[in-house]
Amino acid sequence: MTDVFGPSHQDTGPSIGQARHEQVVFCADDRSGLRAIIAIYNTTLGPGLGGTRFYPYEDEQTALADVLNLSRAMAYKNALAGLDLGGGKAVIIGDPAKDKSEALLRAYGRFIQSLGGRYFTACDVGTYSEDMDIIARETPYVTGRTPAHGGAGDSSILTAFGVFQGMRASAEHVYGSPTLQGRRVGVEGVGKVGYRLVDHLLADGAEVVICDVSAEAVERVRNVHPEVGVVADAAAMKRADIDVYAPCALGGALDDEAVAGLNAKIVCGGANNQLAHPGVEKQLAERGILYAPDYVVNSGGVIQVADEIEGFNMERARAKATQIFDTTLKIFSIAEEEGVPPAAAADRLAERRMSEVGRLRGIWLGR
């Protein structure tokens, strides 16, 4: 059973010690078929921000475990991105292809509104900017909206840009120069983020090889960039002769077997929860492979949607996403100084910001 009042033991993301979620809300509307869970992990830095995942979970317990883990990770991601936002996430239980409707999304929007601004939602697996526009008809606490409604639209633009900045920082740390020129980079998963990442890498002079479970996705890249190489599958990618491994597909790509056979010197990609279980980061370090924590380098997307809260400006959001380069280098420096893997260093840096900035809430402002 998942303990709502304690930390989840299934989490493979940031380590939060024994901290607990502030609020977990179960939402149901029988007429529309809505079954959703909103989890607010921490509002130390500000309202919780995180996307809404629409997914056909096996059962409510699985959905609950997922939303608890995801909201916890968002607190760390938002803190490291320099945002004045806490960690939140939501899941809607169901098949978006069959169950999604205007009534369901608007019912969900009313539950968000009932939280009074403690949680801002955005897109995630199974939800899109057009869905956010519908939810926003019931609540203003929505980001990731379409450009027609003042939103940022496709958040993969700055997600890929941020991953590229993290990869440049990784190259600086390993090779002494912030460029991928002349390096062979393997991109596993060329969906929205991976596709855009390939563009950045080729423009920087890298040699790129790709793989994807979708032949159409691979062909889409090859039609634009015929010089890009292709490997058979994810297993072949990990064994390939590459300098940088960029997982941009599903989570859990790095397990014991994968790490043992990995030839790359750097792991830096856009996928969430890349480490299959706690301890993988130590195995990477022992093999001399630099791991750029995923929730650091893939934070460009949340930076992009968070900018909508002020009124979206792409130049401002891009400038903030550029700072992922400096943050990643800082994490590598802390890791070396304290003798810990980069993932542990990233956790400590996030916790430090939450503590130092969050304590300011205790300064009395009067009435």
Side-chain angles (χ1 to χ4, degrees):
M1 296 291 289
T2 300
D3 182 3
V4 176
F5 297 104
S8 169
H9 301 292
Q10 299 178 20
D11 184 29
T12 57
S15 173
I16 321 289
Q18 295 301 311
R20 290 164 168 78
H21 285 73
E22 292 180 6
Q23 188 173 10
V24 179
V25 180
F26 292 80
C27 316
D29 178 62
D30 291 340
R31 290 286 295 274
S32 66
L34 174 70
R35 289 189 300 151
I37 309 173
I38 302 171
I40 300 173
Y41 174 73
N42 186 301
T43 57
T44 298
L45 295 176
L49 169 64
T52 295
R53 180 166 296 188
F54 203 137
Y55 190 79
Y57 293 96
E58 292 181 6
D59 51 48
E60 188 176 287
Q61 282 297 317
T62 305
L64 176 59
D66 200 27
V67 77
L68 292 178
N69 290 336
L70 291 167
S71 58
R72 181 186 294 114
M74 286 306 303
Y76 277 63
K77 179 181 288 193
N78 292 340
L80 288 169
L83 301 173
D84 291 335
L85 293 163
K89 201 79 175 186
V91 296
I92 298 176
I93 302 170
D95 183 348
K98 300 177 181 178
D99 302 325
K100 188 186 296 182
S101 68
E102 178 188 349
L104 182 147
L105 292 173
R106 293 184 69 162
Y108 171 60
R110 293 189 70 82
F111 279 103
I112 294 174
Q113 179 66 15
S114 74
L115 296 173
R118 284 177 50 77
Y119 169 65
F120 279 79
T121 196
C123 304
D124 198 82
V125 175
T127 59
Y128 303 91
S129 294
E130 292 77 9
D131 299 326
M132 296 304 111
D133 287 343
I134 295 173
I135 294 168
R137 294 168 72 176
E138 300 295 338
T139 179
Y141 305 116
V142 182
T143 61
R145 298 189 63 187
T146 62
H149 288 88
D154 184 2
S155 63
S156 69
I157 296 172
L158 289 192
T159 302
F161 178 72
V163 172
F164 178 61
Q165 296 306 314
M167 201 177 290
R168 289 180 60 243
S170 302
E172 168 78 24
H173 188 79
V174 173
Y175 301 116
S177 179
T179 178
L180 282 306
Q181 184 173 6
R183 305 296 173 188
R184 194 164 192 248
V185 182
V187 181
E188 179 185 318
V190 284
K192 291 190 292 184
V193 174
Y195 180 86
R196 293 182 185 278
L197 179 60
V198 169
D199 288 341
H200 289 298
L201 291 169
L202 291 174
D204 196 39
E207 178 186 354
V208 178
V209 294
I210 64 173
C211 71
D212 198 291
V213 295
S214 168
E216 292 180 1
V218 170
E219 192 62 25
R220 185 170 73 122
V221 175
R222 293 271 296 164
N223 285 339
V224 180
H225 303 294
E227 70 274 27
V228 169
V230 180
V231 298
D233 52 30
M237 179 66 79
K238 296 177 181 70
R239 296 191 304 267
D241 183 17
I242 53 178
D243 299 300
V244 182
Y245 169 55
C248 295
L250 298 176
L254 289 163
D255 55 18
D256 297 347
E257 182 180 356
V259 172
L262 195 62
N263 289 316
K265 290 296 183 184
I266 295 170
V267 173
C268 179
N272 288 311
N273 300 324
Q274 294 168 17
L275 308 183
H277 61 79
V280 173
E281 69 274 15
K282 294 181 181 179
Q283 295 176 37
L284 288 166
E286 289 170 357
R287 289 208 57 218
I289 301 171
L290 182 68
Y291 170 62
D294 50 58
Y295 57 95
V296 177
V297 302
N298 70 13
S299 62
V302 74
I303 289 172
Q304 182 171 325
V305 298
D307 194 79
E308 291 183 29
I309 296 173
E310 294 184 54
F312 183 65
N313 181 289
M314 178 57 92
E315 291 183 8
R316 180 177 63 204
R318 187 181 179 89
K320 193 164 189 64
T322 302
Q323 296 172 14
I324 292 172
F325 176 87
D326 295 323
T327 302
T328 307
L329 278 181
K330 187 173 183 177
I331 287 166
F332 293 153
S333 178
I334 293 172
E336 286 193 340
E337 290 173 3
E338 301 184 4
V340 297
D347 289 356
R348 294 179 184 183
L349 184 60
E351 288 162 0
R352 189 180 308 162
R353 180 166 184 259
M354 282 189 258
S355 175
E356 292 176 353
V357 177
R359 71 169 186 81
L360 300 177
R361 297 286 183 90
I363 298 176
W364 188 60
L365 301 178
R367 293 187 178 181

